[in-house]
Structure formats: structure tokens, C-alpha cells
Amino acid sequence: MNASAKDSTTEEKIKIAAKTVFYKKGFAATRTRDIAEEAGLNLALLNYYFRSKAKLFEIIMAETLSGFVNSMKVILNDEKTSLEEKVKVIAERYIDFISAEPEIPTFILTEVRNNPEGLLKRLPIKEIVNESVFIKQFQEAVQNKKITEPNPLHFMMNLIGLVVFPFVAKPIVMGSRNLDSAQFHDLMQERKKKIPIWITMMFAAV
């Protein structure tokens, strides 16, 4: 193995360890030493690759959120899908996304609490939502009286809440019915079909 390949492997090992620790503890509670221990490396080597915890966190945040945000942007701006279809795609895609990366909701919530300004700078939510095809379709649905609630924020909060909350409250959800991991997974798969129905009923109600 040549030096460049070795360096690349070590750097990736550090990033994987940092992702694991940051997801569990958030930025404030994580020590550089925690990451080094998770990676099985000495602290000096970690500092050689990444000069500070803040720099490493920036990289992990960018990689974690870029896929989340870019995927949402594509969904909301798809002119070929209806509002109802967008709800279905969001429910399906993000339940699968969080199932694969279960620490992400807690990670984001931790940063919302500890550093909301910094998180908002990394997540251009305002631009993604307000300038989207989704908003135009929502407004048209309100005008056509297909949706009785005129505020799109209620629509988005309810949709995101229905997708994300079960993962945040996973220990409580599982404990309430003595579910194992496989049963919880099946429950989330059921929600893919139920969430679009609930959203439609919710905003068609008078």
C-alpha cells in the first residue's frame, strides 16, 4: 500500500469514527480524544489529519446534511409529481434514510438546541421551501379548496413530525408494546403507506 492510499484510509477511518461519536454526543459533548479512541488511533495522529474538532465537525455536518437537503430539494421541485405524490415520496424516502442512519434525528435536534444559527446556515431551508414547486402546488390546492389549512408550515411540520418523531422516541415506542428491532422496522414500513393518508385527511378537514 502506497503512502497516499494509506493516508486516505486513515482519514476515512477518522471520519467514520467522528460520525459515530458526533451522532451520539453532538458537538459540545464530544472530545477529540473520544474520536481518537473510537478510531483506534492516537490523538497526535488525529490532530495531524484534522487540526481541530470544529473542522472535523464541519466536514461531518456537510456530508450528513448534504444528502438530506439535496434529496429534499429534488423532491420539492419535481414538476412531474403532484402534491400528494410528493408527500408519498418524502414519507418513503426519509423513513428509509433514517432507518439506515438512525442517529441523524437526535444529532440534528442536538445541534438545533446547541447551535441553531450555525445549523440554519448549513440548511438553506427558507430557500428550498419558499421557492419550490411544492409551495406553488400547495397554494393552488388551497385556492381550489382541496386543502383547508392555508399555512404551508403546518403542512410541513405535520409531515416531518409524522416521519421523524417515531425514530426520536424509538425506545419509548418499542417499550410501550415490547417490540423488537424487526417489529419496529415493520411498523415504520407501515407508516410509508399511512402517512400520506393521514396528511390528506388532516388538511381536508373543515
Side-chain angles (χ1 to χ4, degrees):
M1 181 181 290
N2 59 44
S4 62
K6 184 177 180 180
D7 289 347
S8 175
T9 300
T10 302
E11 182 174 314
E12 188 62 26
K13 188 176 184 179
I14 293 171
K15 286 167 61 177
I16 291 171
K19 183 177 178 181
T20 299
V21 179
F22 282 136
Y23 277 12
K24 290 180 180 178
K25 295 186 175 184
F27 177 76
T30 294
R31 303 174 304 164
T32 309
R33 187 175 302 278
D34 297 331
I35 299 171
E37 290 175 358
E38 179 70 25
L41 302 170
N42 64 61
L43 189 57
L45 187 59
L46 187 147
N47 289 331
Y48 172 78
Y49 281 91
F50 298 96
R51 296 297 180 184
S52 68
K53 181 180 78 168
K55 180 63 177 178
L56 187 51
F57 183 75
E58 288 284 342
I59 294 171
I60 299 303
M61 280 289 288
E63 292 183 358
T64 297
L65 298 177
S66 62
F68 183 91
V69 172
N70 290 335
S71 179
M72 180 66 75
K73 187 174 182 179
V74 170
I75 294 169
L76 295 183
N77 284 293
D78 188 349
E79 296 183 353
K80 296 180 180 179
T81 58
S82 66
L83 189 63
E84 293 79 5
E85 289 169 330
K86 285 180 174 60
V87 171
K88 182 175 182 291
V89 172
I90 288 172
E92 291 178 350
R93 189 166 299 179
Y94 284 98
I95 283 175
D96 286 343
F97 179 78
I98 299 173
S99 294
E101 298 280 6
E103 301 294 342
I104 283 180
T106 304
F107 174 62
I108 293 177
L109 287 174
T110 299
E111 295 313 307
V112 167
R113 183 181 66 240
N114 294 335
N115 185 23
E117 294 82 8
L119 186 63
L120 285 172
K121 288 179 182 178
R122 299 183 184 93
L123 286 173
I125 296 296
K126 183 178 179 180
E127 293 79 6
I128 290 174
V129 174
N130 292 340
E131 300 170 8
S132 67
V133 171
F134 160 81
I135 284 293
K136 295 177 183 177
Q137 291 175 324
F138 181 88
Q139 292 170 339
E140 289 175 2
V142 171
Q143 291 172 0
N144 295 331
K145 301 188 184 303
K146 293 181 179 180
I147 294 178
T148 58
E149 171 52 59
N151 191 338
L153 281 177
H154 285 305
F155 189 97
M156 291 298 294
M157 286 189 293
N158 281 323
L159 176 56
I160 293 171
L162 286 170
V163 171
V164 174
F165 179 77
F167 291 98
V168 175
K170 183 177 178 180
I172 297 173
V173 173
M174 292 178 66
S176 67
R177 299 291 291 176
N178 293 320
L179 304 180
D180 59 27
S181 295
Q183 290 171 320
F184 179 83
H185 174 78
D186 291 342
L187 188 67
M188 294 304 99
Q189 296 305 304
E190 288 177 17
R191 290 182 73 81
K192 290 181 182 179
K193 297 179 180 179
K194 294 182 181 294
I195 287 173
I197 297 172
W198 293 334
I199 288 291
T200 300
M201 293 174 63
M202 193 182 304
F203 288 94
V206 177

